[in-house]
Amino acid sequence: MVAGNARYVRYIIIAVFTLAVFYFVSSSKYDTVTIPSGLGKTGQPAQKGKTDESRSQPQQPIDKAKGGSDNTVTTPKPQKGDDAKSPLALTPEDPNWDAKLVSPAPGPRMNATFVTLARNSDVWDIARSIRQVEDRFNRRYNYDWVFLNDKEFDDTFIKITTSLVSGKTHYGKIAEEHWSFPEWIDQDKAKKVREDMAERKIIYGDSVSYRHMCRFESGFFFRQPLMMNYEYYWRVEPSIELYCDIHYDPFRVMHEGGKKYSFVLSLYEYAETIKTLWDSTKKFMKNHPEHLAADNAMQFLSDDGGETYNNCHFWSNFEVGNLNWLRSKAYIDFFESLDRDGGFFYERWGDAPVHSIAAGLMLNKSEIHFFNDIAYWHVPFTHCPTGEKTRLALRCHCNPSENFDWKGYSCTSRFFDVTGQTKPAGWEDQKD
């Protein structure tokens, strides 16, 4: 009996001890971590900052009833003190230059996105481009990426690109009216033009899709519902290469510097593809003198005060720009005037000369920016920063002898002369 009572006492003591331990543990102050509950729609683990909806569903445009408009997107103001705490460091001599490139990068973010026009078959070529952009820049900034296609994106494209982008990814299908012949185009005439260009072996001369692309990039990409959420864009093409680290935010350079268009390469356009483009431009200038900027860059475009076009243009497969400018009445009037003249189909007008002429005429010189330190390659041209000190500081792997900037067929030297800027040290050594 005594032994039995002793056993019960031991059980009671053990029970009390266990309850005390449980109470102590449950009362402790621990931070909790939420574990992801599953996989996203693409079969990839959910990523920080991304949701299933943002990866696979179209983003809605800004609600006009809440202050948006067809032509204006407002960049949210950075929190007070952000600019002062994180001044732009554009060269190794500037304060706050961080050779370690910490992630995430300090400072405010702009209302900006990368944008790519691509087909499903481009998935591995654009994957290469995304890795270039992410590794050299965006892994520290996490900006969004908008992909546009005249067809629905397939699961493979969405899965691969989403896995590579550090920001949110959005996928949009282009409306048919933005990727087709407008009603005023004479189809027979356009067909004959293509056949003639094919016989003369003009690059893309017989391509219908290339013409749709040029018209779309000239007049519609910036008006897509997804793009209406942003103020700045950085255009990225499949199979490009970035040769150097980017130590600062180019979107912030554009915003704080009042820049509206930028480039890294410029050259002369193939004259056979734009025979009447300048005639259409002169007609526009006569009809809309109010759209011409007071301090424009006409001298970049013309050697005779605007009588003829010298064919200089900024190569638009790389450009960082202001979407509000492209959505402005001035630019829309220009595009619609050109579009009515039919040169996108009766010739083979490219979006590069269209953007360049618009920027050269409607922007002040100070609103156009040349990014010397963003090293870039798109077949067949290379922009390798001029200046050994810059290349070493940015860990560049491009060959400076391949830099196109100061060659005879480049227009970059002209841009510096027209805008009154000093050319980078060492440019003479890279001339032809």
Side-chain angles (χ1 to χ4, degrees):
M1 183 70 176
V2 174
N5 289 336
R7 189 184 312 115
Y8 290 136
V9 170
R10 287 198 299 272
Y11 290 159
I12 292 171
I13 291 173
I14 292 171
V16 170
F17 178 78
T18 302
L19 287 172
V21 172
F22 177 79
Y23 176 81
F24 175 79
V25 172
S26 64
S27 299
S28 299
K29 302 296 184 180
Y30 285 104
D31 292 330
T32 60
V33 177
T34 301
I35 299 173
S37 60
L39 298 177
K41 292 181 181 178
T42 59
Q44 295 295 320
Q47 299 178 36
K48 184 178 180 180
K50 298 184 181 183
T51 66
D52 291 344
E53 182 178 359
S54 71
R55 300 208 315 251
S56 60
Q57 299 298 324
Q59 183 181 24
Q60 295 302 312
I62 283 178
D63 187 346
K64 298 176 189 177
K66 296 181 180 178
S69 70
D70 285 339
N71 297 329
T72 303
V73 174
T74 302
T75 295
K77 293 182 179 179
Q79 294 182 356
K80 187 176 181 180
D82 278 354
D83 292 346
K85 293 178 183 177
S86 303
L88 274 168
L90 305 181
T91 72
E93 288 76 28
D94 293 336
N96 209 41
W97 175 270
D98 182 8
K100 294 182 180 179
L101 299 182
V102 297
S103 183
R109 300 294 188 266
M110 300 298 103
N111 186 11
T113 185
F114 294 96
V115 59
T116 292
L117 177 65
R119 301 160 297 190
N120 287 309
S121 59
D122 293 325
V123 61
W124 298 114
D125 293 327
I126 195 59
R128 169 183 169 181
S129 299
I130 293 171
R131 280 306 303 261
Q132 295 285 321
V133 172
E134 290 289 333
D135 292 352
R136 289 298 196 173
F137 168 71
N138 200 45
R139 64 184 174 84
R140 301 175 59 231
Y141 289 88
N142 312 135
Y143 280 110
D144 292 356
W145 208 302
V146 172
F147 297 94
L148 301 172
N149 189 354
D150 65 308
K151 304 290 193 300
E152 293 286 354
F153 282 108
D154 60 31
D155 290 341
T156 298
F157 190 99
I158 293 173
K159 180 171 61 176
I160 297 302
T161 53
T162 297
S163 72
L164 295 172
V165 174
S166 60
K168 292 182 180 179
T169 54
H170 306 287
Y171 304 87
K173 182 181 178 183
I174 299 166
E176 184 177 356
E177 60 267 27
H178 295 167
W179 197 274
S180 59
F181 291 97
E183 60 184 5
W184 57 86
I185 295 298
D186 183 330
Q187 296 278 354
D188 291 334
K189 178 179 178 180
K191 182 179 179 181
K192 290 178 181 178
V193 167
R194 295 194 301 273
E195 291 171 347
D196 175 65
M197 285 191 171
E199 290 181 4
R200 291 187 288 141
K201 301 187 183 305
I202 293 175
I203 185 170
Y204 303 120
D206 63 341
S207 174
V208 174
S209 62
Y210 189 83
R211 286 171 168 80
H212 289 323
M213 181 274 291
C214 290
R215 180 172 179 258
F216 175 79
E217 295 283 21
S218 295
F220 298 112
F221 88 89
F222 49 88
R223 291 187 276 182
Q224 299 302 293
L226 288 171
M227 297 300 293
M228 293 301 293
N229 291 287
Y230 302 97
E231 185 177 1
Y232 295 95
Y233 73 98
W234 180 334
R235 178 170 163 182
V236 179
E237 299 274 319
S239 298
I240 61 101
E241 186 161 4
L242 296 181
Y243 291 109
C244 306
D245 288 339
I246 300 173
H247 271 241
Y248 58 83
D249 186 347
F251 293 124
R252 191 175 164 196
V253 169
M254 300 292 286
H255 180 68
E256 296 183 9
K259 309 295 183 181
K260 295 183 178 178
Y261 191 84
S262 66
F263 72 101
V264 294
L265 284 164
S266 69
L267 63 156
Y268 294 92
E269 178 64 301
Y270 190 1
E272 289 298 306
T273 66
I274 55 165
K275 286 183 176 181
T276 65
L277 176 57
W278 195 250
D279 292 333
S280 291
T281 298
K282 289 198 294 184
K283 181 178 70 173
F284 168 79
M285 288 191 287
K286 181 178 179 180
N287 292 337
H288 293 283
E290 73 277 11
H291 291 330
L292 304 184
D295 187 29
N296 64 47
M298 171 67 84
Q299 289 178 296
F300 177 75
L301 304 170
S302 176
D303 300 333
D304 51 20
E307 185 59 32
T308 60
Y309 180 34
N310 61 21
N311 299 328
C312 274
H313 70 285
F314 308 120
W315 217 26
S316 62
N317 50 64
F318 171 97
E319 55 186 13
V320 181
N322 183 292
L323 289 160
N324 286 341
W325 169 59
L326 291 174
R327 291 189 284 254
S328 69
K329 178 172 172 50
Y331 186 86
I332 296 298
D333 283 349
F334 178 60
F335 168 72
E336 290 182 349
S337 178
L338 297 185
D339 200 26
R340 277 285 171 181
D341 287 345
F344 291 107
F345 301 102
Y346 298 148
E347 294 179 9
R348 203 223 65 190
W349 294 353
D351 54 280
V354 171
H355 287 185
S356 302
I357 291 172
L361 297 178
M362 299 179 213
L363 299 180
N364 291 314
K365 298 171 188 174
S366 61
E367 296 176 306
I368 305 173
H369 185 67
F370 171 66
F371 281 109
N372 177 54
D373 43 8
I374 297 182
Y376 176 80
W377 174 85
H378 183 291
V379 62
F381 300 116
T382 295
H383 165 64
C384 187
T386 303
E388 182 181 57
K389 187 174 182 179
T390 297
R391 294 192 298 272
L392 293 176
L394 298 177
R395 301 192 310 153
C396 302
H397 68 278
C398 54
N399 183 344
S401 67
E402 297 175 355
N403 183 29
F404 182 70
D405 296 349
W406 317 112
K407 308 302 183 186
Y409 203 65
S410 170
C411 294
T412 299
S413 183
R414 173 187 291 271
F415 175 79
F416 273 78
D417 293 339
V418 168
T419 57
Q421 299 181 56
T422 302
K423 297 182 178 74
W427 74 274
E428 300 95 339
D429 299 333
Q430 296 182 351
K431 292 171 64 178
D432 287 333

